[in-house]
Amino acid sequence: MITLQPFDRHQSLTVTPTPTGVSLQGRLQIPGDKSISHRALMLGALAEGKTTIRGLLLGEDPRSTAACFSAMGAQISELNTELVTVTGIGLGQLQEPVNVLDAGNSGTTMRLMLGILASHPDRFFTVTGDDSLRSRPMSRAVAPLTEMGAQIWGRKGNSLAPLAVRGQALQPIHYHSPIASAQVKSAVLLAGLMTYGRTTVTEPALSRDHSERMLRAFGAQIDVDPETHSATVTGYPTLTGQQVIVPGDISSAAFWLVAGSIVPGSELYIENVGINPTRTGILVALELMGADISLENQREVTGEPVADLRVKHSQLKACEISGDLIPRLIDEIPILAVAAVFATGTTVIKDAAELRVKESDRLQVMAAALTKMGAKITELPDGLEITGGGSLIGAELDSFTDHRIAMSLAIAAVMATGTTTIHRAEAASISYPTFFDSLQSIIKS
């Protein structure tokens, strides 16, 4: 049914559903939340004392974060899901690395780290990444940091990596961000940790708030105004090591929520999923589409709301996904596009132009791939228009080394007639190393 085959330096996934169809049944434990994993490693490195992390995501992106902060003097034990220990060196004490810092494929690592590096006076840093990351715009984070007095140089007007950073004594600002971006907000707030006074970020809509929650847990003074979508940090707090338990990543759960909804006869139980309100846009969108999803055993873990999710097959209907909902589900739009293919009516996704500068141009790549599989889909400047109710046929596709594309197309392939081949499918390991094994385990013929 599913095979992962080596192909040159990459791997190709082949999916061939049985002619009689399949259903999806079982319990799933998903990887730790990627956003929280990054922040736990970073703040643990900046704090005084020891931080313990349970449930850390073992994907490539957190490994990049751990490697960067280890190179600057933090002591980080071998990464695993059971227990990782970070011995921090204190705010402002990061050492000048002897080599270039490599963020790999992780935009979160690079953008958040820029705020930290820029605020370490009299130290010099160079940051790079893989081919994909070096083509992604960093100007959205560089611009507010420059306004604070940061000195950052890079290609194409200081917008592309490799980036060189000379740490400075920065000034606090009130930054009115033109976009709702947790990465931009976090970069500015992290820089604000080492400025005298109060640094504020105001957004047009509320972006995910993991940084605010974790900064507060580590001892920073954080003030949040939900009405104005503003967050303020007061400089030079004492950060103290904490015990962090990382919940499951709702962005990873999204693939199973959609799969369980569109594959007839399916019922899946997904354990320990973070349901932070700034991240639950996927639940809102699927509810609008008529999905059968229930939240069970709701609780709070290390300041983050958590629940177990049960999803059953249902007939989805079209809806519009736009506006303030977009920042709450920006990473889930590729898999929502797959859901829309099997919904009755025409689903419209708007206000999502940011997807064009992710690991790939996700709007263009998903539109092209689903069209190749027989879907009726129109690419918009800032979104997609998808007329559902049809069927898909197997095709030869490419992930473009984008983890969310690889996994979204794998779910589409389960519902296709014939064989689908997805090249460079190993990209899934960036955020979900066991995804294909989990998919294989729940398929019932």
Side-chain angles (χ1 to χ4, degrees):
M1 167 79 196
I2 297 177
T3 57
L4 196 61
Q5 299 291 343
F7 182 80
D8 193 14
R9 293 182 297 108
H10 301 289
Q11 290 183 312
S12 295
L13 178 77
T14 300
V15 181
T16 308
T18 60
T20 56
V22 300
S23 68
L24 305 178
Q25 303 284 336
R27 300 173 73 95
L28 291 158
Q29 293 184 335
I30 57 175
D33 187 285
K34 184 153 70 80
S35 297
I36 296 174
S37 294
H38 281 302
R39 288 157 173 82
L41 290 166
M42 290 184 183
L43 290 183
L46 297 177
E48 298 177 4
K50 288 189 177 181
T51 292
T52 58
I53 309 171
R54 299 182 186 275
L56 185 85
L57 170 66
L58 288 183
E60 293 302 318
D61 283 6
R63 291 187 186 279
S64 295
T65 292
C68 287
F69 282 85
S70 294
M72 292 185 287
Q75 296 180 28
I76 303 176
S77 66
E78 182 179 353
L79 300 192
N80 60 82
T81 59
E82 297 301 318
L83 179 65
V84 174
T85 300
V86 182
T87 302
I89 55 178
L91 188 62
Q93 301 303 310
L94 290 181
Q95 300 167 12
E96 191 174 77
V98 298
N99 209 334
V100 174
L101 298 170
D102 187 353
N105 188 249
S106 177
T108 301
T109 303
M110 183 170 286
R111 292 193 181 101
L112 270 61
M113 196 163 60
L114 284 175
I116 296 170
L117 303 183
S119 56
H120 273 69
D122 304 320
R123 268 151 284 188
F124 180 80
F125 310 90
T126 304
V127 188
T128 191
D130 66 9
D131 290 348
S132 170
L133 189 57
R134 291 197 305 273
S135 69
R136 291 159 63 186
M138 294 297 131
S139 53
R140 60 182 58 183
V142 170
L145 294 173
T146 301
E147 190 176 325
M148 297 176 76
Q151 293 188 0
I152 302 174
W153 301 271
R155 294 182 299 125
K156 293 196 174 179
N158 306 327
S159 66
L160 296 180
L163 296 168
V165 183
R166 184 178 296 281
Q168 301 290 314
L170 303 183
Q171 300 299 315
I173 61 170
H174 185 164
Y175 183 63
H176 293 269
S177 178
I179 58 172
S181 167
Q183 293 182 1
V184 172
K185 175 176 62 177
S186 298
V188 176
L189 293 177
L190 288 169
L193 289 174
M194 290 181 57
T195 66
Y196 288 105
R198 289 162 59 83
T199 298
T200 300
V201 179
T202 297
E203 302 178 285
L206 187 64
S207 66
R208 60 185 65 176
D209 66 352
H210 298 303
S211 290
E212 295 94 305
R213 289 172 182 261
M214 191 163 291
L215 279 165
R216 187 178 293 115
F218 274 76
Q221 182 181 330
I222 295 287
D223 299 304
V224 176
D225 185 346
E227 291 188 4
T228 62
H229 309 137
S230 298
T232 300
V233 63
T234 300
Y236 287 98
T238 297
L239 301 181
T240 306
Q242 299 294 311
Q243 296 180 353
V244 179
I245 300 175
V246 182
D249 197 325
I250 194 167
S251 295
S252 296
F255 300 103
W256 309 125
L257 294 174
V258 170
S261 296
I262 65 175
V263 179
S266 296
E267 180 175 353
L268 298 173
Y269 190 80
I270 312 162
E271 300 177 347
N272 191 43
V273 182
I275 53 168
N276 183 305
T278 62
R279 296 284 301 281
T280 50
I282 179 67
L283 298 178
V284 175
L286 288 174
E287 181 180 4
L288 290 172
M289 299 177 82
D292 184 354
I293 299 171
S294 58
L295 278 64
E296 303 178 10
N297 192 22
Q298 296 189 48
R299 55 207 185 272
E300 188 169 288
V301 177
T302 320
E304 291 279 352
V306 175
D308 302 327
L309 307 182
R310 187 184 301 274
V311 58
K312 300 178 183 179
H313 171 256
S314 59
Q315 178 54 60
L316 301 182
K317 60 184 180 182
C319 71
E320 180 174 309
I321 302 170
S322 61
D324 289 354
L325 186 58
I326 293 295
R328 297 173 59 197
L329 50 64
I330 191 70
D331 287 334
E332 289 77 70
I333 287 176
I335 190 61
L336 278 172
V338 175
V341 170
F342 298 96
T344 56
T346 299
T347 295
V348 178
I349 300 171
K350 299 191 300 183
D351 304 319
E354 183 183 345
L355 287 177
R356 296 200 181 277
V357 291
K358 290 287 190 178
E359 286 85 336
S360 67
D361 181 340
R362 287 177 174 166
L363 297 177
Q364 189 277 328
V365 171
M366 286 303 298
L370 291 175
T371 296
K372 196 171 184 181
M373 297 180 81
K376 298 177 181 178
I377 182 168
T378 300
E379 184 181 345
L380 307 175
D382 64 345
L384 300 169
E385 185 176 283
I386 305 163
T387 300
S391 58
L392 297 181
I393 56 174
E396 189 164 334
L397 309 171
D398 195 325
S399 78
F400 291 88
T401 68
D402 188 323
H403 54 129
R404 302 202 193 279
I405 298 293
M407 292 183 280
S408 296
L409 295 179
I411 298 302
V414 172
M415 286 290 287
T417 301
T419 297
T420 298
T421 300
I422 305 168
H423 295 298
R424 296 191 279 188
E426 77 281 356
S429 67
I430 288 171
S431 63
Y432 202 153
T434 61
F435 176 79
F436 298 121
D437 289 338
S438 295
L439 178 57
Q440 183 75 74
S441 74
I442 61 173
I443 292 177
K444 310 299 178 185
S445 301

